[in-house]
Amino acid sequence: MKEKIEKIQAEINAYTIENTANLEAFRIQFIGSKGSVKELFNDLKAVPNEEKRAIGQLLNALRIEAEDKYNLFKAQLETTASATSKLDFSRPGDNNEIGAHHPLSLVRSEIISIFSKIGYSVSEGPEIEDDWHNFSALNFAPEHPARDMQDTFFIEKGENEMALRTHTSSVQVRVMENSTPPIRTISPGRVYRNEAISARAHCFFHQVEGLYIDKNVSFADLKQTLLYFAKELFGEKAQIRLRPSYFPFTEPSAEVDVSCSICNAKGCNVCKYSGWLEILGCGMVDPNVLEASGIDSTVYSGFAFGMGVERITQLKYKVNDLRLYSENDVRFLKQFKAGI
Ligand code: PHE
């Protein structure tokens, strides 16, 4: 009897069920009213009384095993059947359009990667700023007309004067206040100015400003850094020129032009037939700014520069209307897929 049970158990284990026909055949062969497990139960009558209990237990276990296997495969076959019956294989597939990075994001990432190669970290700060970080610490005297250079959106006037930052130089003040030189950092971010919206001006735009402070930093270091940047961004042939300028926070200050990459500096309507394009402002950090942020100006010197991301993007991608960047027109945005 024991051997019979083991033989049928082996048969149950070896039985492969792949479809509903197999499943039904399995049921008939083993658990149906004429199945082999049932037959074994009939044979139990002939077993001597003292063995009945042990054999009965074996038989029960066998029956449960067979039923479990049956139920398991039945459930499996039912779920695959219902899943496939709901699928319509003749339907055309979904066309999942891949998005594109915004052109300003592409250019910002490129600028960050160019400066990270020469050891600049990225620092960020708040868009709503106090007067100290946006103006006073940067050597803007209280009634100085230079504050008008940057038409400010004020949020609160008076004692707790808060404003939308007009440049990310404010972030650099925060970095100087919270760290000790050497400092080498760039601060990308959105800035706001109260200007009428047109093709050439907007009430918000993006900047990347850079700051380098250490012992013995010179104007030559600044020029070399900017030349490296221009060549990385616009190609090996790019040249730069510096024109004297004024910013309250740098002395001396300069504006930087890059040779026009559109006409190879021959002269075109983008560079107004000059061969040069203005791309950024820069200068040696004014000692007053260093002192305001707690840096000893007798020990340290440094340079700073700042550029508009929209301006660089305009030159790289020949976009000539600033409004396109914030209108979310898919026809404009999808042209930048290749940049991913
Ligand atoms: N903060 C200046 C601006 O917004 C740019 C700048 C930065 C100029 C650093 C010189 C040095 O126009």
Side-chain angles (χ1 to χ4, degrees):
M1 186 73 184
K2 253 195 179 157
E3 281 124 52
K4 264 196 183 172
I5 292 175
E6 275 162 15
K7 183 172 157 270
I8 293 192
Q9 187 170 30
E11 279 173 23
I12 290 173
N13 285 340
Y15 204 102
T16 43
I17 301 173
E18 282 170 345
N19 50 41
T20 44
N22 296 155
L23 183 71
E24 183 58 6
F26 177 87
R27 191 187 64 78
I28 293 169
Q29 185 173 336
F30 297 105
I31 38 189
S33 54
K34 291 186 182 122
S36 41
V37 178
K38 265 269 143 55
E39 267 170 29
L40 286 175
F41 273 99
N42 293 338
D43 295 350
L44 192 60
K45 288 176 203 131
V47 171
N49 270 349
E50 59 276 20
E51 284 176 37
K52 258 201 181 110
R53 203 179 132 86
I55 300 285
Q57 276 174 352
L58 284 177
L59 266 179
N60 261 331
L62 184 69
R63 181 178 54 83
I64 290 168
E65 208 175 297
E67 283 172 359
D68 282 354
K69 179 160 179 168
Y70 173 80
N71 288 331
L72 179 74
F73 279 90
K74 188 168 177 237
Q76 266 180 18
L77 287 168
E78 274 165 5
T79 49
T80 34
S82 66
T84 42
S85 65
K86 282 193 198 121
L87 285 180
D88 176 358
F89 291 108
S90 64
R91 272 185 59 177
D94 283 342
N95 187 10
N96 286 331
E97 282 233 38
I98 297 173
H101 282 295
H102 193 281
L104 295 176
S105 303
L106 292 174
V107 171
R108 184 190 51 201
S109 306
E110 195 177 346
I111 297 171
I112 291 174
S113 85
I114 292 172
F115 281 104
S116 67
K117 280 193 227 165
I118 51 171
Y120 281 74
S121 64
V122 172
S123 41
E124 290 184 325
E127 292 187 9
I128 297 175
E129 256 309 357
D130 50 32
D131 177 89
W132 172 256
H133 291 98
N134 197 77
F135 291 122
S136 299
L138 288 161
N139 205 28
F140 285 81
E143 299 303 328
H144 196 283
R147 292 184 186 228
D148 294 341
M149 272 164 67
Q150 310 189 334
D151 306 274
T152 311
F153 281 119
F154 289 98
I155 292 175
E156 268 177 62
K157 282 267 188 190
E159 239 176 81
N160 309 320
E161 196 161 279
M162 295 297 274
L164 296 178
R165 67 182 177 196
T166 58
H167 49 184
T168 59
S169 304
S170 55
V171 180
Q172 315 202 316
V173 174
R174 290 176 179 277
V175 173
M176 288 190 281
E177 285 173 339
N178 295 315
S179 42
T180 44
I183 294 170
R184 216 184 279 150
T185 189
I186 50 171
S187 37
R190 188 183 296 154
V191 300
Y192 301 83
R193 292 187 196 176
N194 190 357
E195 296 208 30
I197 297 171
S198 71
R200 298 219 195 109
H202 213 295
C203 57
F204 62 81
F205 59 97
H206 299 79
Q207 285 189 325
V208 176
E209 296 214 353
L211 178 72
Y212 177 32
I213 298 188
D214 204 347
K215 289 177 182 152
N216 301 320
V217 177
S218 72
F219 202 88
D221 297 326
L222 170 60
K223 266 181 95 171
Q224 201 56 38
T225 303
L226 296 178
L227 181 61
Y228 155 79
F229 169 67
K231 285 181 183 290
E232 287 284 310
L233 193 66
F234 293 107
E236 193 43 45
K237 281 202 227 128
Q239 289 298 321
I240 56 166
R241 75 171 182 189
L242 278 70
R243 286 176 287 106
S245 184
Y246 171 77
F247 299 102
F249 33 88
T250 47
E251 183 62 34
S253 307
E255 267 163 319
V256 180
D257 299 338
V258 64
S259 50
C260 181
S261 54
I262 293 166
C263 62
N264 277 328
K266 286 191 185 73
C268 66
N269 62 351
V270 178
C271 63
K272 303 207 184 76
Y273 302 94
S274 69
W276 296 98
L277 298 159
E278 188 192 324
I279 56 161
L280 53 84
C282 67
M284 301 306 291
V285 180
D286 191 301
N288 287 345
V289 175
L290 296 176
E291 295 293 338
S293 310
I295 292 176
D296 187 343
S297 64
T298 60
V299 179
Y300 294 105
S301 56
F303 62 71
F305 54 86
M307 68 192 92
V309 182
E310 277 80 352
R311 172 74 173 147
I312 310 270
T313 311
Q314 175 196 13
L315 300 175
K316 279 210 82 127
Y317 293 108
K318 306 188 176 65
V319 178
N320 53 17
D321 189 329
L322 272 178
R323 291 166 293 194
L324 286 167
Y325 294 123
S326 48
E327 278 170 354
N328 275 343
D329 187 329
V330 177
R331 291 167 302 178
F332 170 68
L333 296 172
K334 71 181 187 187
Q335 297 175 64
F336 299 92
K337 275 187 186 169
I340 294 176

